[in-house]
Amino acid sequence: MYDPSSPLLRSGAAPGGVPQPDAKARFAEDRLLDAVVWCEVTPGETITEADVMERFGLTRAAARAALTRLGYDGWAQPLARLGWQVAPVTGALIGEVLAARRIAEPALARAVLSQAQRDEVARIGAMLDAVSRQGETGAVVTFRHFVDEIDGTLLGAIDTFTARHLRKLWHHSARITRHLEDATSGHVFQRNDIFDLVRAVTTGDGDGITAARLALIDAQERFFMRQLLKSDTPIAPGSGTTRRSTPDNAATNGRIT
């Protein structure tokens, strides 16, 4: 489900939601990336310029630029005369994303927040507590939006380089999660770490922030493993010998950048 209001997703639009002329190309690129992250365009799917034009209301030039950017950032690769294939979700990719996050996320413990920001996190935490008691499907979307607000606040309080790297890792994690979830059977990932994170942020407990983030990564790893073990998708011959990329060379192999 696409959520354009998520603070973790970039936007090329001006206030009011209408992209200005000099931002239209960026808006197209961001819209297509958001569609990939939210699995509107599914992992492994092949898409063409015509597909992108029709599905997202873009001009041919904007669609071409957006697909090219998707390829440059490692989210898709061109297929001769067929279009662009969106990077699949693989066990190797999952392992690399989680490993990179374990290295990068402790940086959030160094986030410098004002008292007003801490008070806002506390307010969001209270709303999360209320939403978590609801059983409706819409409550999951609302809960995740509030969680994104907290994560976005932390990203904005650390150095720009690390924040950009973490944002990409979180995009990968979000895509993997949505790809593996099965809302119809109730197999939806729960952010049970968030209340420990709220307490740590509001009290300025750096060690607590690190502990909450690492607990989240461990929980996601367990969830991914459980869902993969339920998958009926066959493993392709020779897949066990495919070269695994690392976060350093990922940009050229459809991996982390």
Side-chain angles (χ1 to χ4, degrees):
M1 182 183 300
Y2 173 61
D3 179 9
S5 62
S6 172
L8 294 185
L9 298 177
R10 299 170 298 173
S11 174
V18 180
Q20 298 302 304
D22 60 349
K24 286 184 178 180
R26 187 63 178 204
F27 177 84
E29 294 170 9
D30 290 349
R31 180 61 185 94
L32 186 55
L33 172 60
D34 296 348
V36 170
V37 170
W38 287 82
C39 291
E40 284 185 272
V41 180
T42 58
E45 181 179 347
T46 299
I47 54 177
T48 64
E49 288 180 11
D51 293 333
V52 174
M53 292 168 62
E54 180 179 355
R55 291 168 68 171
F56 305 111
L58 303 177
T59 65
R60 181 171 297 278
R64 181 174 302 153
L67 285 166
T68 300
R69 183 68 191 186
L70 209 65
Y72 178 81
D73 286 341
W75 291 98
Q77 62 179 355
L79 300 177
R81 295 181 296 278
L82 294 176
W84 293 77
Q85 183 180 47
V86 176
V89 169
T90 65
L93 174 64
I94 293 173
E96 290 159 10
V97 169
L98 295 177
R101 286 180 56 194
R102 286 188 172 100
I103 294 171
E105 295 211 18
L108 295 172
R110 300 193 296 272
V112 180
L113 301 177
S114 66
Q115 187 57 52
Q117 288 175 311
R118 291 182 183 178
D119 291 343
E120 178 63 11
V121 169
R123 184 186 69 82
I124 295 173
M127 291 190 291
L128 283 169
D129 183 57
V131 172
S132 68
R133 303 174 191 277
Q134 302 175 16
E136 297 85 354
T137 302
V140 175
V141 177
T142 302
F143 189 93
R144 287 182 172 176
H145 175 74
F146 286 142
V147 168
D148 282 353
E149 287 195 13
I150 294 175
D151 287 345
T153 297
L154 288 173
L155 275 188
I158 62 175
D159 68 277
T160 303
F161 178 82
T162 304
R164 290 180 63 186
H165 183 53
L166 267 178
R167 189 186 300 272
K168 280 197 172 184
L169 291 173
W170 289 354
H171 280 171
H172 277 286
S173 293
R175 187 174 79 116
I176 294 166
T177 299
R178 287 169 180 82
H179 179 60
L180 294 178
E181 283 180 328
D182 183 359
T184 59
S185 63
H187 294 145
V188 177
F189 180 71
Q190 302 291 336
R191 279 288 301 267
N192 296 324
D193 68 291
I194 194 62
F195 298 107
D196 288 338
L197 180 63
V198 167
R199 282 191 291 271
V201 170
T202 54
T203 59
D205 179 4
D207 290 341
I209 291 174
T210 297
R213 300 306 304 188
L214 295 180
L216 165 63
I217 297 169
D218 289 343
Q220 285 181 315
E221 184 173 48
R222 292 191 296 271
F223 176 81
F224 296 158
M225 181 61 69
R226 287 197 302 269
Q227 295 303 99
L228 284 171
L229 290 176
K230 296 174 184 176
S231 173
D232 293 327
T233 303
I235 298 175
S239 61
T241 59
T242 300
R243 185 178 69 85
R244 292 184 57 170
S245 65
T246 66
D248 288 334
N249 64 14
T252 59
N253 291 281
R255 296 287 195 263
I256 316 161
T257 56

